[in-house]
Amino acid sequence: SQQGEEDPQALSIQEGENATMNCSYKTSINNLQWYRQNSGRGLVHLILIRSNEREKHSGRLRVTLDTSKKSSSLLITASRAADTASYFCATDEGRGSTLGRLYFGRGTQLTVWP
Amino acid sequence: DSGVTQTPKHLITATGQRVTLRCSPRSGDLSVYWYQQSLDQGLQFLIQYYNGEERAKGNILERFSAQQFPDLHSELNLSSLELGDSALYFCASSRGILALSSSNTGELFFGEGSRLTVL
């Protein structure tokens, strides 16, 4: 099994700035997902990118995937105080036509100051 | 609201005791996953069930067990509790284990977690 590793561990920015978080993983994947967690709450799915995709957008979120480097990045544009949360990347190793369980990294704690 | 329900929300117990955590998945979801989140270990995958059958095991201790019932709800049993078992336990559900499609987006829907404190 393998886990994603996020970088940086913590990120502190002002409202309106962009936030970029990176994720590296070790083995081949079926897809990579990003989740958000507000303090002490459940995780919420943000975006999924398949292994044959290179970039995906959803609102203010932009995710890239480089399978040759085994890395992904999550960009949040024009950040808001409400974006303050922990962000996790999760890899799905899925074999063949089945999806496996997700392995999560340790997360990036994003703080957006008003 | 993810549609996944976990009970209890908080649980305080003593070392050596046994507890049961319960999870009701989203309507229509056949897969249930259990995760443990602690400060030192992060989010650890414990076990996965699909339509009542165990599909995958992760870092689940032998003192822990789980099952998924015919109505698809799941229970995680933690026994001989130790201080280090204090953590947030999450249940998540998804449509299934089939390849991604319009009916299976591949995302997991998480409950709000059960916070276990072992004293």
Side-chain angles (χ1 to χ4, degrees), chain B residues 75-87:
Chain B
E75 292 181 356
L76 178 66
N77 301 296
L78 315 175
S79 61
S80 303
L81 286 168
E82 302 175 358
L83 296 178
D85 297 328
S86 295

Side-chain angles (χ1 to χ4, degrees), chain B residues 11 15 87 101:
Chain B
L11 195 53
T15 55
S101 67

Side-chain angles (χ1 to χ4, degrees), chain A residues 73-91:
Chain A
S73 68
L74 171 67
L75 168 68
I76 304 175
T77 60
S79 61
R80 306 164 182 167
D83 294 330
T84 295
S86 291
Y87 291 82
F88 295 86
C89 71
T91 53

Side-chain angles (χ1 to χ4, degrees), chain B residues 1 4 15 18-19 22 26 28 39 52 55-56 71 81 84 87 93 106 111 115-116 119:
Chain B
D1 182 7
V4 177
T15 55
R18 172 189 169 96
V19 298
R22 182 187 167 101
R26 253 183 4 143
L39 282 175
R55 286 292 300 190
D71 66 353
L81 286 168
S93 72
R115 182 173 294 279
L116 173 66
L119 301 176

Side-chain angles (χ1 to χ4, degrees), chain A residues 6 9 21 34-40 43-44 46 83-89 106-111, chain B residues 37:
Chain A
E6 292 89 346
Q9 289 187 343
M21 289 159 266
W34 286 89
Y35 285 78
R36 166 195 168 125
Q37 182 183 32
N38 286 355
S39 182
L43 282 77
V44 176
L46 295 176
D83 294 330
T84 295
S86 291
Y87 291 82
F88 295 86
C89 71
R106 299 186 71 86
T108 293
Q109 172 61 50
L110 173 66
T111 303
Chain B
Q37 186 177 37

Side-chain angles (χ1 to χ4, degrees), chain B residues 54-75:
Chain B
E54 181 184 305
R55 286 292 300 190
K57 265 188 176 179
N59 301 323
I60 188 166
L61 300 173
E62 286 191 10
R63 299 183 287 108
F64 297 178
S65 65
Q67 54 184 329
Q68 186 180 28
F69 295 87
D71 66 353
L72 300 178
H73 91 270
S74 178
E75 292 181 356

